[in-house]
Amino acid sequence: MSAGKIEKINALYGIFALICCVASGRLLAYFIPLLPGSLYGLIIFTLTLHFRIFDADRVKACVVWCIKNMGICFVPAGVGIMNHLELIKQFGIAIVSITFFTTFVLLTVVGLLYQKYETLKN
């Protein structure tokens, strides 16, 4: 089989894997509405790769392409920010402060939990 044909098959395989996981996540969110369907889909995708239900090497090209083109997804968010510029001006300092504080807390907690996990592991 030629290299081009293998790349096309792997791309279709990757798209199939992503669609299956996103669809499963949406379905799970319909029955258990605790989390958004996309988050359920991401968890399912991670588990399928971890347990080798889908081959990570074959999915890699599709995932890399999605990450390279992710900026397109943020265009609507940028337009939304421009539509609410007055609110950003009014509460901008608070938004930035909360973002930095919560990021610091999150990174600290994750770091401490990782250290605790490593000490228990050894």
Side-chain angles (χ1 to χ4, degrees), residues 62-110:
C62 182
V63 171
V64 168
W65 181 86
C66 289
I67 290 171
K68 283 183 181 177
N69 294 293
M70 193 185 303
I72 295 169
C73 297
F74 294 106
V75 170
V79 171
I81 288 171
M82 297 310 294
N83 285 339
H84 300 286
L85 196 55
E86 290 303 317
L87 286 174
I88 302 287
K89 286 179 185 176
Q90 186 178 359
F91 299 109
I93 300 294
I95 292 170
V96 170
S97 300
I98 292 169
T99 302
F100 278 115
F101 177 73
T102 55
T103 302
F104 175 75
V105 169
L106 177 70
L107 290 174
T108 302
V109 169
V110 168

Side-chain angles (χ1 to χ4, degrees), residues 22 24-44 47:
V22 170
S24 300
R26 296 281 177 138
L27 188 64
L28 194 58
Y30 179 76
F31 290 110
I32 307 171
L34 297 174
L35 298 172
S38 57
L39 189 56
Y40 279 130
L42 183 63
I43 293 168
I44 292 168
L47 291 173

